Amino acid sequence: GPEQAASALEAVSSSLASDFVQDLPTGITAAIVDEMRSDEQADLLSEMPQSDADAVLREMDPGEARDARELLAYGADTAGGLMRKEFLHFPTGSTVGGVIEDMRENADSYADYAIQYAYVLRDGVLVGVLRLRDLLFSSKSSPVESVMLPDPIAVPVAATIDELRDFFSANKFVGVPVTDARGALLGVVHRASIRQAQSERAEDDLLKVSGIVGGEEIRTMPLRVRARRRLSWLSTNILLNVISASVIAFYEDTLQSVIALAVFLPIISDMSGCSGNQAVTVSIRELALGVVKPNEIARVLGKEASVGVINGLVLGLVLGLAAFLWKGNMYLGVVVGGALAINTLVSVSLGGTLPLILRGLGRDPALAAAPILTTITDLLGFLLALGFATAFLPLLTG
Amino acid sequence: GPEQAASALEAVSSSLASDFVQDLPTGITAAIVDEMRSDEQADLLSEMPQSDADAVLREMDPGEARDARELLAYGADTAGGLMRKEFLHFPTGSTVGGVIEDMRENADSYADYAIQYAYVLRDGVLVGVLRLRDLLFSSKSSPVESVMLPDPIAVPVAATIDELRDFFSANKFVGVPVTDARGALLGVVHRASIRQAQSERAEDDLLKVSGIVGGEEIRTMPLRVRARRRLSWLSTNILLNVISASVIAFYEDTLQSVIALAVFLPIISDMSGCSGNQAVTVSIRELALGVVKPNEIARVLGKEASVGVINGLVLGLVLGLAAFLWKGNMYLGVVVGGALAINTLVSVSLGGTLPLILRGLGRDPALAAAPILTTITDLLGFLLALGFATAFLPLLTG
């Protein structure tokens, strides 16, 4: 039934949920979405193609559709986009007995609400919070104003996810009301929604770093969608790869003289990519968590350069030693190991800072950082190894 | 204060929280952990080194420490490890008025509880659930047995995270009681905890695929810890890289004759790695979500092979064409493009299935899949390109 389906879709991420409903008839999707919580409705609809979302909204219950449209109009990562429209509210002048009576009458519609608080409104403006448990201890004839906590904390509808995270870090509340400029109550953001939104954003970023773009991929999706999505990322990559490898073509003469270098070029390329990608992943994560800000490039650069020096020296020594042991030529070891050491330092420093730079420029760092990084470090790695080799050519061939 | 710190630590993942407290004095950590919810306590303590966790437990409030120890004794991904000890319970024979009186008296200690339900126990055995709202509508002298929902659904303490996810997909409940073999109530698992545990597991897996091992890395961690953790993964990788690149050494003569091949070897290595890693990432995700089981190798192989054929053909054509246009030799294009096409098919098929095989063998797929994959596909890619070239040598040099 739609209710079970709604419950199942709420339990998975919204991009996954949108993949599940994409092949269902619009009427059935609308019936399922009607049963979902307003914030989950908006998440799901925002992941669907615009025309599909519009079709579903037209077939939904008008009240549900209005709430979903309102949430969709706010940015997905703002209080407006993250809030739920399911909350209890009563006008000033209500009595405790009246509130209890309303809750009894509407027990079924309120079943999905996270009822720990009810909100007291004067002409729509939030003036107090009623803790449900306080109703138990009060006389039924008391006006709600005498039981409520006055002047409740609220957040503006435009508050960002980072501001909300800071709010919930500093406060124990399970939810916070969201108000507009005149103080009217628009919805309630729950602590759990913030954590979930952050997790989904972080997971999505990590998937992009590995080349899974356009949202999560699940193997029940059609073959052409999966192949096309993956190719969109791979085809950019192959062009960038051809560009960086073309450096090798300029050094054909050196390679011809020291053919052993051909063994080490893929190693230098792969290892620099790995080292740099570790730094990219850490930065992407820290950006998603809000632990680092895009303008902290100098701090991140310092931190990463230190790691880059240590790991560059270790890896350069290992590879240089391998080259020396294989060919018995110390200079080959110096050329190969030196190129890897320097390239690791650059790769790690660049990998750490590139996501911050891209974010600062308003680009998606999760998507662009890895391809840009590997292109630059491949290019530089080949240039260093073959350039050094050209400079030391007599020693290498002697 | 400890309460604010506890709230902040509950808002981040447990591995990150353990990094934050690792430099604090034990007494302060204990004071903070005392203020955390029992399931968060257990998560945090399980991420700390055993000796640190024991020291903190000794300095904690004895009651809090007992609950935390109990949760730690269960597997982290079972109902026992995920449940909270903070729940309301009343013995059979209580009256509605008595329950309300108890809630009024203990309002402060119950402030952190997610109070939508209270549980009714007979000699510790769960016999009913009280919905808080039902208390509002009942006479104070009624016994709780007349208000409660009898025979409540419960899950066994050993239920796995996958079973719990299925449970919450099928039911609307925000929490489910956890009982032992004789039906005694041990704790309550909340819907939000399951989602969060799954998210953390999935994020951790994705970090490992990018080479961030041993838990999350945050740049406030000490340099030596960060450098060592990253090196542990990189040093395995460089050895595997040396092994696979050694294939190139066996074909020095072919390379010497067709030096242009040296340009394409890093491209084939990198592109096969990228294609395979996309498939690894999707499988790791699907395993974490429970969408795929380790024994579904044949199904995943079929799905991935189809993607591999399409993307292999496209990428092989692009690279083959580039080789042909550069050197004007059709056979060079066939050798290079053919090697990439075949290697992409193998890489994507292997990348999709390897995580399932590793999981089936009881290994951590997130850690091992990518290094094993790139070693095999590098080896095979070099072998294909240089083997084809050796076979067609007269045509390539003609």
Side-chain angles (χ1 to χ4, degrees):
Chain A
E3 232 181 285
Q4 280 72 40
S7 185
L9 291 183
E10 285 178 359
V12 300
S13 78
S14 46
S15 63
L16 188 50
S18 85
D19 290 334
F20 280 134
V21 299
Q22 72 174 1
D23 294 326
L24 295 178
T26 310
I28 293 180
T29 303
I32 295 172
V33 176
D34 271 342
E35 297 295 329
M36 293 174 73
R37 240 179 28 224
S38 51
D39 57 334
E40 298 276 355
Q41 288 176 341
D43 282 356
L44 173 55
L45 290 166
S46 72
E47 293 279 344
M48 296 169 64
Q50 182 70 47
S51 58
D52 291 7
D54 287 341
V56 170
L57 280 163
R58 273 193 300 274
E59 299 210 17
M60 280 171 63
D61 170 86
E64 296 279 340
R66 195 190 54 231
D67 285 354
R69 279 207 180 86
E70 182 190 334
L71 264 59
L72 277 170
Y74 301 112
D77 280 352
T78 66
L82 292 160
M83 69 190 183
R84 302 183 192 170
K85 300 294 289 179
E86 291 85 359
F87 55 87
L88 289 182
H89 58 99
F90 300 96
T92 49
S94 309
T95 60
V96 168
V99 167
I100 292 177
E101 189 54 38
D102 173 83
M103 290 177 65
R104 187 206 309 264
E105 274 172 19
N106 297 296
D108 279 347
S109 0
Y110 295 165
D112 294 348
Y113 292 27
I115 318 187
Q116 299 202 42
Y117 304 103
Y119 300 93
V120 179
L121 310 182
R122 180 180 292 124
D123 298 329
V125 172
L126 177 67
V127 293
V129 173
L130 278 177
R131 289 183 303 180
L132 194 64
R133 75 181 74 133
D134 293 334
L135 296 178
L136 292 171
F137 318 138
S138 310
S139 121
K140 295 206 172 179
S141 58
S142 314
V144 289
E145 286 94 324
S146 68
V147 181
M148 72 183 191
L149 305 171
D151 304 319
I153 298 178
V155 295
V157 68
T160 65
I161 191 168
D162 292 329
E163 289 162 356
L164 290 162
R165 188 197 54 233
D166 293 344
F167 176 86
F168 283 115
S169 284
N171 295 282
K172 270 275 180 190
F173 308 129
V174 294
V176 62
V178 178
T179 52
D180 67 10
R182 75 175 187 100
L185 181 61
L186 301 174
V188 177
V189 172
H190 288 246
R191 177 187 284 270
S193 304
I194 300 304
R195 228 178 133 151
Q196 184 185 315
Q198 276 208 303
S199 268
E200 289 197 7
R201 196 168 68 169
E203 281 178 53
D204 215 43
D205 280 353
L206 290 174
L207 287 170
K208 281 187 205 157
V209 172
S210 297
I212 301 300
V213 296
E216 280 181 88
E217 177 183 326
I218 295 291
R219 294 213 170 84
T220 47
M221 287 164 56
L223 173 62
R224 60 183 168 73
V225 175
R226 299 174 56 225
R228 196 183 53 222
R229 276 201 198 173
R230 290 200 199 171
L231 261 183
S232 74
W233 189 76
L234 292 172
S235 51
T236 314
N237 261 28
I238 198 167
L239 291 180
L240 295 174
N241 253 297
V242 167
I243 292 170
S244 52
S246 63
V247 170
I248 304 174
F250 284 105
Y251 287 96
E252 281 198 356
D253 293 342
T254 303
L255 258 182
Q256 195 95 49
S257 313
V258 194
I259 199 74
L261 284 171
V263 173
F264 293 99
L265 295 180
I267 300 181
I268 293 175
S269 155
D270 189 66
M271 289 309 300
S272 304
C274 284
S275 300
N277 221 40
Q278 287 182 323
V280 166
T281 304
V282 173
S283 281
I284 297 278
R285 248 329 262 170
E286 290 200 338
L287 282 172
L289 288 170
V291 182
V292 77
K293 300 271 172 288
N295 59 9
E296 295 181 275
I297 293 171
R299 184 174 77 82
V300 168
L301 186 62
K303 293 263 182 193
E304 285 305 311
S306 322
V307 176
V309 167
I310 296 175
N311 292 5
L313 283 175
V314 173
L315 297 175
L317 271 172
V318 170
L319 194 64
L321 200 65
F324 167 63
L325 291 176
W326 177 40
K327 287 289 175 186
N329 185 323
M330 200 185 68
Y331 300 102
L332 182 67
V334 172
V335 164
V336 165
L340 180 59
I342 297 174
N343 211 40
T344 300
L345 169 59
V346 173
S347 174
V348 171
S349 306
L350 190 63
T353 50
L354 198 52
L356 278 66
I357 297 170
L358 288 166
R359 172 62 61 86
L361 295 173
R363 302 286 163 150
D364 181 352
L367 204 56
I372 295 176
L373 171 83
T374 48
T375 305
I376 296 177
T377 57
D378 277 8
L379 238 159
L380 183 67
F382 299 146
L383 212 57
L384 287 169
L386 295 167
F388 286 169
T390 307
F392 291 103
L393 204 53
L395 296 168
L396 292 173
T397 52
Chain B
E3 232 181 286
Q4 281 71 40
S7 186
L9 291 183
E10 285 178 358
V12 301
S13 78
S14 45
S15 62
L16 188 49
S18 86
D19 289 335
F20 280 134
V21 299
Q22 73 174 0
D23 294 325
L24 294 178
T26 310
I28 293 181
T29 304
I32 294 172
V33 176
D34 271 342
E35 298 294 330
M36 294 173 73
R37 238 177 31 223
S38 52
D39 57 332
E40 298 275 356
Q41 289 175 342
D43 282 355
L44 173 55
L45 290 166
S46 72
E47 293 280 344
M48 296 169 65
Q50 183 71 46
S51 58
D52 290 8
D54 288 340
V56 169
L57 280 163
R58 275 193 299 275
E59 299 208 19
M60 281 170 64
D61 170 86
E64 296 279 340
R66 194 190 55 231
D67 284 355
R69 280 207 179 86
E70 182 190 334
L71 264 59
L72 277 170
Y74 302 111
D77 279 352
T78 66
L82 292 160
M83 69 190 183
R84 302 184 192 169
K85 300 293 290 180
E86 292 84 0
F87 55 87
L88 289 182
H89 58 97
F90 300 96
T92 49
S94 310
T95 60
V96 168
V99 167
I100 292 177
E101 189 54 38
D102 173 83
M103 290 178 65
R104 186 206 311 264
E105 276 172 19
N106 297 296
D108 279 347
S109 1
Y110 296 164
D112 294 349
Y113 292 28
I115 318 187
Q116 299 202 42
Y117 304 103
Y119 299 94
V120 179
L121 309 181
R122 180 180 293 125
D123 299 330
V125 171
L126 178 68
V127 294
V129 173
L130 279 177
R131 289 183 303 181
L132 194 64
R133 76 181 74 132
D134 292 334
L135 297 178
L136 291 171
F137 317 139
S138 310
S139 123
K140 295 207 173 179
S141 58
S142 312
V144 289
E145 287 95 323
S146 70
V147 180
M148 72 185 192
L149 306 171
D151 304 320
I153 299 178
V155 295
V157 70
T160 65
I161 191 168
D162 291 330
E163 289 163 355
L164 289 163
R165 187 197 56 232
D166 293 344
F167 176 85
F168 284 114
S169 283
N171 294 284
K172 270 275 181 189
F173 308 130
V174 293
V176 62
V178 178
T179 51
D180 66 11
R182 75 176 187 101
L185 182 61
L186 300 175
V188 177
V189 172
H190 287 246
R191 176 187 287 269
S193 304
I194 301 303
R195 231 182 130 148
Q196 184 185 314
Q198 276 209 304
S199 268
E200 290 196 7
R201 197 167 69 167
E203 280 179 53
D204 215 43
D205 280 353
L206 289 174
L207 287 171
K208 282 188 206 155
V209 171
S210 297
I212 301 300
V213 296
E216 280 181 88
E217 178 184 325
I218 295 291
R219 294 214 169 83
T220 48
M221 288 164 56
L223 173 62
R224 59 183 169 75
V225 175
R226 299 174 57 226
R228 197 183 52 221
R229 275 201 199 173
R230 290 200 200 171
L231 261 182
S232 74
W233 189 76
L234 292 173
S235 51
T236 313
N237 262 28
I238 198 167
L239 291 180
L240 295 174
N241 253 296
V242 167
I243 292 170
S244 52
S246 63
V247 169
I248 303 174
F250 284 104
Y251 287 94
E252 280 198 356
D253 292 342
T254 303
L255 258 182
Q256 196 93 50
S257 315
V258 195
I259 200 74
L261 283 171
V263 173
F264 292 99
L265 295 180
I267 301 182
I268 292 174
S269 155
D270 189 66
M271 289 309 299
S272 304
C274 285
S275 300
N277 221 40
Q278 288 181 323
V280 165
T281 304
V282 173
S283 281
I284 297 277
R285 257 313 272 173
E286 289 201 339
L287 281 172
L289 289 170
V291 182
V292 76
K293 300 271 172 290
N295 60 10
E296 294 181 275
I297 293 171
R299 185 174 75 83
V300 169
L301 185 62
K303 293 265 181 190
E304 285 306 311
S306 322
V307 176
V309 166
I310 296 174
N311 291 6
L313 284 175
V314 173
L315 296 175
L317 270 173
V318 170
L319 194 64
L321 200 64
F324 168 62
L325 291 177
W326 178 39
K327 289 288 176 186
N329 186 325
M330 199 184 72
Y331 300 101
L332 182 68
V334 172
V335 164
V336 164
L340 181 59
I342 297 173
N343 211 40
T344 301
L345 170 59
V346 173
S347 174
V348 171
S349 307
L350 189 63
T353 50
L354 198 53
L356 279 66
I357 296 171
L358 288 166
R359 172 62 62 84
L361 295 173
R363 302 285 163 150
D364 182 352
L367 204 56
I372 295 176
L373 171 85
T374 50
T375 306
I376 296 177
T377 57
D378 277 7
L379 239 158
L380 183 67
F382 299 147
L383 211 58
L384 287 169
L386 294 168
F388 286 171
T390 307
F392 292 103
L393 203 53
L395 296 168
L396 292 173
T397 52

